[in-house]
Amino acid sequence: MILTFWGVRGSVPVPGPTTLKFGGNTSCITIERDGHVLIVDAGTGIRALGEAQVGTGREFYLLLTHLHADHLQGFPFFQPLYRAGERVHLMDYRHDSRAFSAIELFDGVQVPMGPTTVKADCECSAGNPLEYLRAREFHVESIALNHPGGALGYRISNGGRSVVHITDNDLSYEDGAATSFDAFVDFCRGADVLSHDAQWTAAEAPARRGWGHSCVDDVCRLAMAAQVKRLILFHHDPSRTDAQVDAIQQAARRDLAAAGIPCEAAREGLRIDLTSERDR
Ligand SMILES: [Zn+2]
Ligand SMILES: [Zn+2]
């Protein structure tokens, strides 16, 4: 199982000279095994993924955490969609009795392309998306997140290894929270990798209560309580420069040193091989 980060930025893409190290593209990660590629979210990072893997014969499975634009806006630029013979499985995102498939973006209005421009063999999941994935040997569990409009976090397991990806979630959100801090601890317990939204610093968080993101200190507290083996800070604020992300990463490393948990800020191109434990 190989975890790769293609887009790590929150809210809006921010390309430019101050984001070259960690990257300016919005949310997209993949978890890959045996020629099957599970894509979580289709932010602008999905464009580079498509260009890297079009024509490789891999099968793609798209799973969404929620429908905010920074998690969906890259999908029309996923090259395998426009090539006959590619196989793309689309999981419905289901919330409040509504099901949404990313293929609905191809309406000729939101994007210039209509559905007939898609040449890939696209299969849309019918029924529960996690059961659809389990039938294809991706064991995925979900948890409701504390985020305006709702969102889902995922734990993906294969071969005794597990990755938890929780983006767009406020760990400190108490009034009307979908999920308590303790329930997140249970969900993340013992994961090989925890990738979690860490958009705010502790100083910023009080003024942004209710926006649905976490401060780094709470994310470190979760990593320690759940005894995860490695922490990745995800969904960097769009205003954050590389130097600022570096500083947040250093502070988190100091917090986690006593617990012996390695920590880094997600960056485009970060690849973690959970089979060999070697990073490439
Ligand atoms: Zn987001
Ligand atoms: Zn969001």
mmCIF file with all atom_site columns, all heavy atoms in Angstrom, residues 21-32:
data_model
loop_
_atom_site.group_PDB
_atom_site.id
_atom_site.type_symbol
_atom_site.label_atom_id
_atom_site.label_alt_id
_atom_site.label_comp_id
_atom_site.label_asym_id
_atom_site.label_entity_id
_atom_site.label_seq_id
_atom_site.pdbx_PDB_ins_code
_atom_site.Cartn_x
_atom_site.Cartn_y
_atom_site.Cartn_z
_atom_site.occupancy
_atom_site.B_iso_or_equiv
_atom_site.pdbx_formal_charge
_atom_site.auth_seq_id
_atom_site.auth_comp_id
_atom_site.auth_asym_id
_atom_site.auth_atom_id
_atom_site.pdbx_PDB_model_num
ATOM 1  N N   . LYS A 1 21 ? 7.752  24.855 -1.970 1.00 0.00 ? 21 LYS A N   1
ATOM 2  C CA  . LYS A 1 21 ? 8.250  23.688 -1.231 1.00 0.00 ? 21 LYS A CA  1
ATOM 3  C C   . LYS A 1 21 ? 7.129  22.705 -0.895 1.00 0.00 ? 21 LYS A C   1
ATOM 4  O O   . LYS A 1 21 ? 7.263  21.499 -1.122 1.00 0.00 ? 21 LYS A O   1
ATOM 5  C CB  . LYS A 1 21 ? 8.947  24.138 0.061  1.00 0.00 ? 21 LYS A CB  1
ATOM 6  C CG  . LYS A 1 21 ? 9.463  22.975 0.890  1.00 0.00 ? 21 LYS A CG  1
ATOM 7  C CD  . LYS A 1 21 ? 10.239 23.447 2.106  1.00 0.00 ? 21 LYS A CD  1
ATOM 8  C CE  . LYS A 1 21 ? 10.672 22.259 2.972  1.00 0.00 ? 21 LYS A CE  1
ATOM 9  N NZ  . LYS A 1 21 ? 11.395 22.704 4.179  1.00 0.00 ? 21 LYS A NZ  1
ATOM 10 N N   . PHE A 1 22 ? 6.013  23.212 -0.373 1.00 0.00 ? 22 PHE A N   1
ATOM 11 C CA  . PHE A 1 22 ? 4.927  22.309 0.043  1.00 0.00 ? 22 PHE A CA  1
ATOM 12 C C   . PHE A 1 22 ? 3.849  22.173 -1.029 1.00 0.00 ? 22 PHE A C   1
ATOM 13 O O   . PHE A 1 22 ? 3.137  21.176 -1.073 1.00 0.00 ? 22 PHE A O   1
ATOM 14 C CB  . PHE A 1 22 ? 4.332  22.790 1.372  1.00 0.00 ? 22 PHE A CB  1
ATOM 15 C CG  . PHE A 1 22 ? 5.307  22.658 2.506  1.00 0.00 ? 22 PHE A CG  1
ATOM 16 C CD1 . PHE A 1 22 ? 6.077  23.746 2.916  1.00 0.00 ? 22 PHE A CD1 1
ATOM 17 C CD2 . PHE A 1 22 ? 5.517  21.438 3.132  1.00 0.00 ? 22 PHE A CD2 1
ATOM 18 C CE1 . PHE A 1 22 ? 7.015  23.624 3.938  1.00 0.00 ? 22 PHE A CE1 1
ATOM 19 C CE2 . PHE A 1 22 ? 6.453  21.308 4.155  1.00 0.00 ? 22 PHE A CE2 1
ATOM 20 C CZ  . PHE A 1 22 ? 7.207  22.405 4.556  1.00 0.00 ? 22 PHE A CZ  1
ATOM 21 N N   . GLY A 1 23 ? 3.728  23.167 -1.889 1.00 0.00 ? 23 GLY A N   1
ATOM 22 C CA  . GLY A 1 23 ? 2.798  23.084 -3.012 1.00 0.00 ? 23 GLY A CA  1
ATOM 23 C C   . GLY A 1 23 ? 1.543  23.907 -2.789 1.00 0.00 ? 23 GLY A C   1
ATOM 24 O O   . GLY A 1 23 ? 1.121  24.147 -1.659 1.00 0.00 ? 23 GLY A O   1
ATOM 25 N N   . GLY A 1 24 ? 0.937  24.327 -3.906 1.00 0.00 ? 24 GLY A N   1
ATOM 26 C CA  . GLY A 1 24 ? -0.238 25.189 -3.843 1.00 0.00 ? 24 GLY A CA  1
ATOM 27 C C   . GLY A 1 24 ? -1.521 24.528 -4.293 1.00 0.00 ? 24 GLY A C   1
ATOM 28 O O   . GLY A 1 24 ? -2.580 25.148 -4.282 1.00 0.00 ? 24 GLY A O   1
ATOM 29 N N   . ASN A 1 25 ? -1.456 23.257 -4.704 1.00 0.00 ? 25 ASN A N   1
ATOM 30 C CA  . ASN A 1 25 ? -2.665 22.579 -5.196 1.00 0.00 ? 25 ASN A CA  1
ATOM 31 C C   . ASN A 1 25 ? -3.539 22.078 -4.053 1.00 0.00 ? 25 ASN A C   1
ATOM 32 O O   . ASN A 1 25 ? -3.057 21.724 -2.984 1.00 0.00 ? 25 ASN A O   1
ATOM 33 C CB  . ASN A 1 25 ? -2.279 21.396 -6.098 1.00 0.00 ? 25 ASN A CB  1
ATOM 34 C CG  . ASN A 1 25 ? -1.809 21.865 -7.458 1.00 0.00 ? 25 ASN A CG  1
ATOM 35 O OD1 . ASN A 1 25 ? -2.579 22.427 -8.227 1.00 0.00 ? 25 ASN A OD1 1
ATOM 36 N ND2 . ASN A 1 25 ? -0.539 21.669 -7.747 1.00 0.00 ? 25 ASN A ND2 1
ATOM 37 N N   . THR A 1 26 ? -4.849 22.026 -4.333 1.00 0.00 ? 26 THR A N   1
ATOM 38 C CA  . THR A 1 26 ? -5.800 21.620 -3.290 1.00 0.00 ? 26 THR A CA  1
ATOM 39 C C   . THR A 1 26 ? -5.949 20.098 -3.221 1.00 0.00 ? 26 THR A C   1
ATOM 40 O O   . THR A 1 26 ? -5.470 19.355 -4.077 1.00 0.00 ? 26 THR A O   1
ATOM 41 C CB  . THR A 1 26 ? -7.161 22.303 -3.507 1.00 0.00 ? 26 THR A CB  1
ATOM 42 O OG1 . THR A 1 26 ? -7.636 22.015 -4.821 1.00 0.00 ? 26 THR A OG1 1
ATOM 43 C CG2 . THR A 1 26 ? -7.053 23.807 -3.315 1.00 0.00 ? 26 THR A CG2 1
ATOM 44 N N   . SER A 1 27 ? -6.689 19.660 -2.209 1.00 0.00 ? 27 SER A N   1
ATOM 45 C CA  . SER A 1 27 ? -6.720 18.287 -1.698 1.00 0.00 ? 27 SER A CA  1
ATOM 46 C C   . SER A 1 27 ? -6.825 17.161 -2.727 1.00 0.00 ? 27 SER A C   1
ATOM 47 O O   . SER A 1 27 ? -7.794 17.077 -3.479 1.00 0.00 ? 27 SER A O   1
ATOM 48 C CB  . SER A 1 27 ? -7.933 18.122 -0.771 1.00 0.00 ? 27 SER A CB  1
ATOM 49 O OG  . SER A 1 27 ? -7.717 18.794 0.431  1.00 0.00 ? 27 SER A OG  1
ATOM 50 N N   . CYS A 1 28 ? -5.855 16.301 -2.690 1.00 0.00 ? 28 CYS A N   1
ATOM 51 C CA  . CYS A 1 28 ? -5.912 15.040 -3.438 1.00 0.00 ? 28 CYS A CA  1
ATOM 52 C C   . CYS A 1 28 ? -4.804 14.132 -2.921 1.00 0.00 ? 28 CYS A C   1
ATOM 53 O O   . CYS A 1 28 ? -3.638 14.513 -2.905 1.00 0.00 ? 28 CYS A O   1
ATOM 54 C CB  . CYS A 1 28 ? -5.726 15.277 -4.932 1.00 0.00 ? 28 CYS A CB  1
ATOM 55 S SG  . CYS A 1 28 ? -5.774 13.756 -5.915 1.00 0.00 ? 28 CYS A SG  1
ATOM 56 N N   . ILE A 1 29 ? -5.189 12.933 -2.474 1.00 0.00 ? 29 ILE A N   1
ATOM 57 C CA  . ILE A 1 29 ? -4.190 11.924 -2.094 1.00 0.00 ? 29 ILE A CA  1
ATOM 58 C C   . ILE A 1 29 ? -4.566 10.611 -2.782 1.00 0.00 ? 29 ILE A C   1
ATOM 59 O O   . ILE A 1 29 ? -5.714 10.442 -3.213 1.00 0.00 ? 29 ILE A O   1
ATOM 60 C CB  . ILE A 1 29 ? -4.107 11.698 -0.564 1.00 0.00 ? 29 ILE A CB  1
ATOM 61 C CG1 . ILE A 1 29 ? -5.363 10.993 -0.035 1.00 0.00 ? 29 ILE A CG1 1
ATOM 62 C CG2 . ILE A 1 29 ? -3.884 13.008 0.184  1.00 0.00 ? 29 ILE A CG2 1
ATOM 63 C CD1 . ILE A 1 29 ? -5.178 10.393 1.351  1.00 0.00 ? 29 ILE A CD1 1
ATOM 64 N N   . THR A 1 30 ? -3.603 9.710  -2.894 1.00 0.00 ? 30 THR A N   1
ATOM 65 C CA  . THR A 1 30 ? -3.923 8.369  -3.401 1.00 0.00 ? 30 THR A CA  1
ATOM 66 C C   . THR A 1 30 ? -3.365 7.303  -2.464 1.00 0.00 ? 30 THR A C   1
ATOM 67 O O   . THR A 1 30 ? -2.343 7.502  -1.799 1.00 0.00 ? 30 THR A O   1
ATOM 68 C CB  . THR A 1 30 ? -3.326 8.115  -4.801 1.00 0.00 ? 30 THR A CB  1
ATOM 69 O OG1 . THR A 1 30 ? -1.922 8.398  -4.778 1.00 0.00 ? 30 THR A OG1 1
ATOM 70 C CG2 . THR A 1 30 ? -4.014 8.952  -5.851 1.00 0.00 ? 30 THR A CG2 1
ATOM 71 N N   . ILE A 1 31 ? -4.061 6.179  -2.463 1.00 0.00 ? 31 ILE A N   1
ATOM 72 C CA  . ILE A 1 31 ? -3.588 4.980  -1.786 1.00 0.00 ? 31 ILE A CA  1
ATOM 73 C C   . ILE A 1 31 ? -3.655 3.873  -2.824 1.00 0.00 ? 31 ILE A C   1
ATOM 74 O O   . ILE A 1 31 ? -4.715 3.593  -3.386 1.00 0.00 ? 31 ILE A O   1
ATOM 75 C CB  . ILE A 1 31 ? -4.443 4.675  -0.552 1.00 0.00 ? 31 ILE A CB  1
ATOM 76 C CG1 . ILE A 1 31 ? -4.175 5.763  0.498  1.00 0.00 ? 31 ILE A CG1 1
ATOM 77 C CG2 . ILE A 1 31 ? -4.129 3.296  0.027  1.00 0.00 ? 31 ILE A CG2 1
ATOM 78 C CD1 . ILE A 1 31 ? -5.294 6.016  1.397  1.00 0.00 ? 31 ILE A CD1 1
ATOM 79 N N   . GLU A 1 32 ? -2.500 3.285  -3.088 1.00 0.00 ? 32 GLU A N   1
ATOM 80 C CA  . GLU A 1 32 ? -2.358 2.430  -4.258 1.00 0.00 ? 32 GLU A CA  1
ATOM 81 C C   . GLU A 1 32 ? -1.907 1.038  -3.842 1.00 0.00 ? 32 GLU A C   1
ATOM 82 O O   . GLU A 1 32 ? -1.064 0.893  -2.961 1.00 0.00 ? 32 GLU A O   1
ATOM 83 C CB  . GLU A 1 32 ? -1.282 3.080  -5.139 1.00 0.00 ? 32 GLU A CB  1
ATOM 84 C CG  . GLU A 1 32 ? -1.153 2.526  -6.499 1.00 0.00 ? 32 GLU A CG  1
ATOM 85 C CD  . GLU A 1 32 ? -0.226 3.411  -7.349 1.00 0.00 ? 32 GLU A CD  1
ATOM 86 O OE1 . GLU A 1 32 ? 0.009  4.583  -7.004 1.00 0.00 ? 32 GLU A OE1 1
ATOM 87 O OE2 . GLU A 1 32 ? 0.265  2.888  -8.352 1.00 0.00 ? 32 GLU A OE2 1
#
